[in-house]
Structures are given as C-alpha cells and as structure tokens.
Amino acid sequence: MTPSRLRDHLPALTGAATAIAAPADLDSHLLRPLETLLDVAWLRWTRGAGQPWTVASQGGAAPTGAPAPADSGDEPLPTVSVTPHGLLLRVTPDDAALLTEPLPGAQERGELLSALRVAALALRHAALLGAAQAGQVALSRAQTFATLSPIGIAAGTLDGQLVEVNDAYLHLLGYTRADFDAGRINWVALTPDSERAGDEAAFARAFTHGASGWYEKTMLDRHGQPIPVEVQLLRYHDQTDDLVIGYVRDLRERRALELERQARAAATQAQLSRNESDLARLAAQLHGQNTELEARTAVLEGFAGLTRDLTLEGDLYALIRRAQQFAQQLLPSGFAVYYEPEGDLWRLKSQVGDLGNPQLQAILDAGISFEGTPNLLIPWRTRQPHYQEHYDRAADGLAAVTAQLQTTATLPVSVNGSPRGIFAFGLNHNQPWRRADKAVLESVAQSLGLAIERAEQARTLREHAAELEIRTRALEAFAELSRDLTLEPDPVSLVGRAQEIIVNLLPHAVTTYYEPQGDRWQLRSHRGHFRNPNLLPVLQRGLPRGQTVNVDRPYATRAPHYQDRFDPGTVAAAREDITDIQATASFPVQSGQRVRGVLVVGRHTPEPWTSVNRRLLDTILSSLQLAIERAEHAQALHRRTQELERSNAELEQFAYVASHDLQEPLRTITSFTELLARRFDDHQDPRVAQYVTHISSGTARMQQLIQDLLSFARVTSQREPLRPTDPNQVLSQLRADLAAPLAQAGATLSADPLPHVLASGTQLRRLLQNLIGNALKFHAPGVPPHVHISAQHEGEQVRFTVQDNGIGIAPEYHERIFTVFQRLHGRDEYPGTGIGLSVARRIVEGHGGRMGLTSAPGQGTTFWFTFPAVQTDLPPAPARVDPA
C-alpha cells in the first residue's frame, strides 16, 4: 500500500479547518495546503440559494471544461467521490471542489473526508453564530425602542397583571420601577369602575380584530387622581400565554390646550364686542405688533444670509462685530458695544461706533467692575433685556464721563442656554425705545447667540475631522509597527523603529531613549533633527540619575510624564543646550514587570499635548512593550515554531481583512453624498456641490489607499512557493503588457540575459513592473525614458539592477522612499499613493533578499535587489505569472 501523504499533516489540516469562517477560507485553510501536499490542481465552486454553480477560485493548472457538481439529493455531506474529471469534494450543499489527477489513494480520501467534516462543522458553526448575533442585535434594538418611546407602553395578562412596562408608562401614572418589580401595579385597578365597560369592549375588539383602535378614557395614578388618556390595545401571543399590549398617550396637555383655545376664543369674542374706541385701540395695538413683526422679520432675513457665512467664520468676535454693524443699520444713530466677564471685570470685546468721550473709551478699554456695573449685571443675572430711557449714570459709577449718554439697552447673549456676554446699544440723544427698536435688539441678541452656537459647532466638527485624520494615521502607524517590530530581535533596534514612527507622525519632534547604567542614564537610541548641534553630544555623554527629573520620574513611577511647557531644569546636565525644546513627554519602556529604560519625545514648537497625541503615543509605546517582550521570549517561542508560523499567517491577513472591511463605510459615505447632492441641488445652495466634490475626492483617495494597502498585504498573505523561474520569460510577458505605456512615454526598455532564480513568478513580475513604472513616471522633462535591466551572480544570490535616466533621488531620501505612504512629491506633480516601493522591498525581503538604490538628483536612479539563485543541477520551471 502506498504510504499516505496526508497522514503526518492531518492534525495541521484539521486544525486549520477549524478556523474556517466563510467558504472563501476553504482556499487558504484546505485547498492550497492540499495543492502542495498532493501536487494537484484544484477548482472550487459555490452557489447562492436557488442560483447555479459558479467557479469561485482555482489553483495550479486547474482543469477546464469540468462540469459543475450535480445536486447531492439526500446524501449526507460532506462526501469524497471519484469522477471522470478528478476527485469531487462536497463540503456543503452549496460548496464543492475538484482535485485533479493524480488522485489520492483510498486512505488519503478517508483522511480528506475527516478534514472536510471539520470544515463543514466550522462553516455551520460560523453561520449559526452569525444568526445568533443578528437575533441579539434585533432584540436589543426592539428593547431600546420601547424604552425610549415617549408613549406609555404596557403588556399584561387578561387578569390585569402587568408583565412589562416602559418608563413613560410608569412616569405617566406616578409609579417607579420598584413598584412594578414588586407587583404593585394592576392595570384593571387603574381604570375607574364607570369605565370598565369601555375597556371590555376595547378588549373584545383587540381579540377579534387584533387591535382596538384609539379610544379615550380615564386612568387613575398611584394617588387615585384621574388622568385623561388615549389608549389602543393590541392582541399578542407569546410562547406561554395570550397578552394584551396597551399604548397610552397622556391627554392632559391636549385638554389644557383645548381649554386655552376656548378661553382665547371667548376673550376674542369679548374684545370684538366692545365699542369703537376699544376697536381703535386694538387696531393701534395690532399696528404696533405688525411693526414689531416687520422689525423682527428684517432682523431674521438679514441674519439668514449672515448666519450662512458665520459657520465658516473662525473669529467669533469678527462675527459679533458684523452683528453690531447690522444692528446699526436698523436702529437710531448710536454705538454698539459687547462685553464679556473676565475675573472681576467686564472686558470690552467688540465695538462699532464712537462713544462720544475719549475718557469713557479709555475706561471701557481698561475694563470696568463686574459687580459695580448694574447696567450690565442686571441682564447677566436675570437673562432678560434691560432698557433705560434715562440712563442712571451714578449707579454704574461713570457719571463723570457719561454726560453725553442718554438712553441705553443691554441684552444678554446666551449660548447653549448659558449667558456668554452682554450686547449693549447706547444713544447720545434722548429718545425712548420704541417697540420696534426693542424687537430689533432682542432679535439681534437672540440670533447672535444662535449664530455663535452654530459657529462653535462648525469649529467642533472641523476639530473632530482633524482628530479623525490623526486617528487614521495612528491606526496606520500601529499596523506598520505591529508588522515590523515582531521581525526585530534587538530591543534597542525595536525602540529605534518606534522612534522613527513617532518622528514621522509628530512634526518638529525628536526622540531619545535612555537605559540606566550605574549612576547615569546612557543614551542608547535617538531619532529626529536636533536644532542645537551641541545638545546631542551632551546627551550622548550620559545624564546623572537622580538629577534628571524628566527621565527619573517615569522610570520610578512607571507612568508617562508630560510637560506642555518644558522646564530645562528637569534635565539639569543639559540645561543650557536644551532650551530649543518646548514640550516633552517621557515614557517608561517596560518588559513584563521590569522597566528597561525611558523614551523621551521632545517638540521644538510650543504645542500642548492633546488627547489625540497622547493616545497616539500610548498606542505606540504599548506596541513597543509587546514587541520587546516578544523579542526577549524568542527562545521560548522557538519551541513553538509550528504554532508561531500559523499565528504569523493569521497576522499577515490582518492588514488585508482590515483594509477590506474599510471599504464598506467608504461606500456608505459615497452613497449618502449622492443623496445629499440630489437633496440640495445647485439652485438651493451652490456650496453643496463644492462640499460634495470635496467629499467625493476624499473618498476616492481613501479608496485608492485601501486598494494599495490590500496589494501591500497580499505580498505576504498570498505568497506562492518559490520555484525555479526564468526572469527573461517574465520580462518578455511584462514588455508586452507595458507596450502601450512605453509607447506613450516614448520610452525604451532593454535587458541583458538574466540568470534563473528561485522566485514567485507573479511577485517577480510585480516587482519589475513597479520599478519600470517608477522610471516612466519620474522621467526627466524633455528626455525620452530609458530603462536597462541586468543581473549577475553573487554567491548564492543573483543581484539585479534596474537603471533609468530619470530625475534622480537625493541621498537623504534613499531610505524614506521605502516607507509605506511616503511621497517626495505632491499629488499634483506625480500621481500615486507612495506604496509601490514598499511593496517592492517587501517582495524582495519575502524572498530572503535585500534591496537598495544609488541615485543623485538629475543623474537617474539604479535600484538593485537580490534573489536566491537556482542550483545548477535543477532545471528551471516555466515562470508562473498571474496576469492580474
């Protein structure tokens, strides 16, 4: 009997099968391992409910023309059966696969069946788990809707016992949740005896027709007081009993409004029945009201256009000044001033018009007493307008400088329900405040408060948008850190990588890392540009322990130490050279329970540490601690090599899955943007089109970033086994694919004979395509692009060079260009997202090679990379190149 090729790998196969959560996982968890172990090609079908079979994926030299599987009927699944086209694997009624010859033996088919059963169970478990989660969400949503409903809702049995009520029902009747839990509420007893017959009729309608319809009745609260309500009863049957659900609306407000309307009608009728003099007085009153209404309308119309601009106005006092200018246009000639309290003084924040006295102007500019100025204090505390047709100069203590001031009006400006300041208007001539004048002032003050609210809301939205952008960058940095740090065993090197991420994300920042050595802090790593060239040598000589608070404190307390305003005295040994640093943040770098050292971040700009900055740094330091712990436990993890390989494979899928899931909210944003554009067309507000364009452009760029991130993730998550590959054949196919771009750019592509290498043909093709594409994109103006590819053996490696005559790259950027999303040019100059060279280096490192470049501005660029050479006794296989 032929030994089974699966027997030793069956535990790993079944273990991988348990992690299958979707049909697509069959490829990576089962079929691709079988392709390697059995040296077969495969084809996987799938179908939806009531839909025909379709090919979902394939591997190797998959058969063409293989018919879709027939229905399994009542045959229990999964099954393994031999067909003329190969070995058919039925996993579920809607998922099947075909393995080509050579067919597995009988023992291998039995082992395959065991793995299929585990995969089927895993798929069934994932489906059941998804259904359970959906049901739980629906139940939670229904409970939330009932709890938040403003209408009273109660469910009870036919004997009057309540089984569930919401808070609105309890509040209406004056009961508490404790009363209900104790069973002290009986809805039959809540109805007066005189109205029981109406309830019985409603119950009958509910049980006959399913609903009683709305009807009015009286209910008794917990104190026996009658409450007019409107009720509808619904019949409901659960698993144990017939229930009645009642919806109860409080009619007290409606009845009160009806009485009020009746009273108003009676009063109106009485007014109309009075004599002609009363009618004339009423006409005058109505005329005054009409004048006031016209004044308020003028204010509202003016503020409508003003408010649209205010949401974009960053300076609130510029906004207040515009409101003052607007008030001046509608009121008698005078001046407008606006005050806000600061400590024990009123501070003049905005003024339009001349006060008529330079000495008064000087006093107001310096600030006046908060408690000693009743003309401002009264409206502040009462939150009501305060009008003085004969200004009381003595009360404010300004008699000596206000002889010209005759009439004043001071009104509170409230923002979100709280007074913000006082809007004041003064007249230097004696004139009473007309009703229309008061209407203008009150409307201006009220509209100003609303406008400030909207302006602050707009500013908050802009701040939230900025915070979201920083969080996104932090997430990208976290993913990058999580990927790279686990590959570096040296803790100090890990710290250096974390420092590079910090310097990239925080402008004008430098970072140092110290470890204790005797009685000194020894500088072990640093990143960033130190503006004072004398500072770094001082730090490299070491800092005294016990005299360097900025390092001692986080080491002793094991907690971050932030300084929004850096005190040079906390680094006494470098006090004279560290004055360029404006703010610092110090963090203990821990490994388990041990503090290894202290990482310090300094900023050259006087910016406080925001909550977003702190979350970003905490995330990076937490990731760094995890990475260091992994490095220190490398020997122990070595004994778990097999588990670690599986874990690494799952981690490599992280960026792919995360990027895939990010596309759904982007599609949602795009859809709602289109709805917004249709809802507000250009004729209503032309700025809507501008905003929609900005949103669409932003989501398109984010979509491209996600697609590039997916490509970046696929470099390792979808890696093929290395095979002897002919680069000349790969380049020939690539030359044909790039014929159009080469011709469009007027470019030439040449190559020397290239030796065979061990490689993934698809990834070698992508690597060369990225490098040739860069050469075409960054060609020198007026010079036809030329790209030349050559290679030579270097020991067990083959060193390739890709040389172009483009614009070149300055030496200080030779490492930066390999960082994900790093660009040296703006999008207006050259398109792209800055990920191509990151993908290229990752492909090379995935083949165990290295990658670098030599270049200078204006002298072209030569990229070099190494791939493993093919042993001379192994014939090269045809290059397997994925045309995608």
Side-chain angles (χ1 to χ4, degrees), residues 210-431:
S212 67
W214 289 101
Y215 68 99
E216 295 184 4
K217 61 172 289 188
T218 298
M219 296 185 71
L220 303 177
D221 65 10
R222 72 177 302 160
H223 303 295
Q225 296 299 315
I227 300 175
V229 295
E230 187 176 31
V231 178
Q232 176 160 209
L233 303 179
L234 303 177
R235 181 182 179 182
Y236 172 72
H237 180 77
D238 65 6
Q239 298 177 354
T240 60
D241 203 353
D242 282 326
L243 300 177
V244 174
I245 299 177
Y247 293 85
V248 184
R249 283 201 291 242
D250 190 350
L251 295 181
R252 285 176 292 186
E253 184 177 354
R254 184 192 301 178
R255 297 283 174 83
L257 290 174
E258 290 175 355
L259 292 175
E260 182 180 355
R261 282 196 296 269
Q262 294 173 2
R264 288 181 179 177
T268 302
Q269 185 62 36
Q271 183 71 23
L272 292 175
S273 64
R274 294 179 182 177
N275 55 33
E276 292 183 359
S277 62
D278 292 333
L279 291 175
R281 187 167 56 254
L282 177 60
Q285 180 181 356
L286 291 175
H287 177 73
Q289 291 176 345
N290 185 59
T291 303
E292 177 184 352
L293 181 60
E294 290 177 352
R296 292 184 184 272
T297 301
V299 171
L300 293 176
E301 289 176 350
F303 258 85
L306 179 62
T307 303
R308 283 195 299 267
D309 298 333
L310 293 181
T311 56
L312 304 177
E313 178 64 67
D315 184 359
L316 292 180
Y317 297 113
L319 162 87
I320 294 169
R321 181 175 180 82
R322 295 177 66 181
Q324 291 173 316
Q325 293 169 343
F326 180 73
Q328 273 197 321
Q329 298 173 7
L330 301 177
L331 293 172
S333 177
F335 59 88
V337 286
Y338 174 77
Y339 302 91
E340 286 183 358
E342 290 184 4
D344 58 354
L345 294 177
W346 289 103
R347 292 291 187 182
L348 180 62
K349 295 295 185 179
S350 178
Q351 176 180 333
V352 173
D354 184 18
L355 300 180
N357 188 319
Q359 294 178 338
L360 175 60
Q361 184 70 61
I363 291 174
L364 297 187
D365 289 340
I368 55 180
S369 170
F370 180 83
E371 295 288 346
T373 312
N375 200 30
L376 303 181
L377 191 60
I378 290 174
W380 176 265
R381 290 181 171 169
T382 64
R383 302 190 185 183
Q384 297 294 325
H386 180 54
Y387 297 99
Q388 291 193 71
E389 296 186 354
H390 301 285
Y391 173 57
D392 187 354
R393 301 176 180 83
D396 289 343
L398 300 173
V401 292
T402 57
Q404 77 286 352
L405 184 58
Q406 303 296 320
T407 305
T408 65
T410 49
L411 302 94
V413 176
S414 296
V415 178
N416 295 318
S418 300
R420 172 68 64 87
I422 298 297
F423 185 94
F425 205 90
L427 304 177
N428 289 337
H429 56 276
N430 191 4
Q431 178 176 330

Side-chain angles (χ1 to χ4, degrees), residues 21-22 24-25 28-29 475 479 649-665 667 706 709-714 717-718:
D25 294 340
S28 58
H29 290 63
L475 179 60
E650 293 171 352
L651 288 174
E652 288 173 351
Q653 294 295 322
F654 168 77
Y656 175 81
V657 173
S659 300
H660 182 273
D661 290 347
L662 284 174
Q663 296 187 68
E664 181 57 31
R667 286 193 289 268
I706 292 174
L709 185 58
L710 283 170
S711 299
F712 186 73
R714 289 193 184 106
S717 64
Q718 299 182 1

Side-chain angles (χ1 to χ4, degrees), residues 453-483:
E453 287 181 13
R454 292 171 185 155
E456 291 182 343
Q457 290 169 358
R459 182 176 60 190
T460 301
L461 288 175
R462 290 193 293 269
E463 292 173 353
H464 287 174
E467 179 178 347
L468 179 60
E469 179 181 358
I470 293 177
R471 286 181 178 176
T472 302
R473 294 170 60 194
L475 179 60
E476 294 171 353
F478 174 77
E480 180 70 12
L481 184 64
S482 300
R483 178 183 65 83

Side-chain angles (χ1 to χ4, degrees), residues 9 52 128 144 177 221 309 319 327 380 577 587 609 623 667 683 695 718 803 836 847:
H9 302 278
L128 291 175
T144 300
R177 182 62 62 178
D221 65 10
D309 298 333
L319 162 87
W380 176 265
D577 299 305
F587 302 87
W609 295 104
S623 303
R667 286 193 289 268
H683 299 292
I695 296 173
Q718 299 182 1
Q803 183 178 6
H847 286 72

Side-chain angles (χ1 to χ4, degrees), residues 733-749 765 769 772-779 784-787:
Q733 297 175 5
L734 187 58
R735 190 192 300 270
D737 293 342
L738 296 177
L742 288 169
Q744 183 179 2
T748 56
L749 173 62
R765 179 186 185 280
Q769 182 176 352
I772 295 172
N774 267 15
L776 298 181
K777 182 191 301 184
F778 299 103
H779 69 272
H786 176 68
V787 184

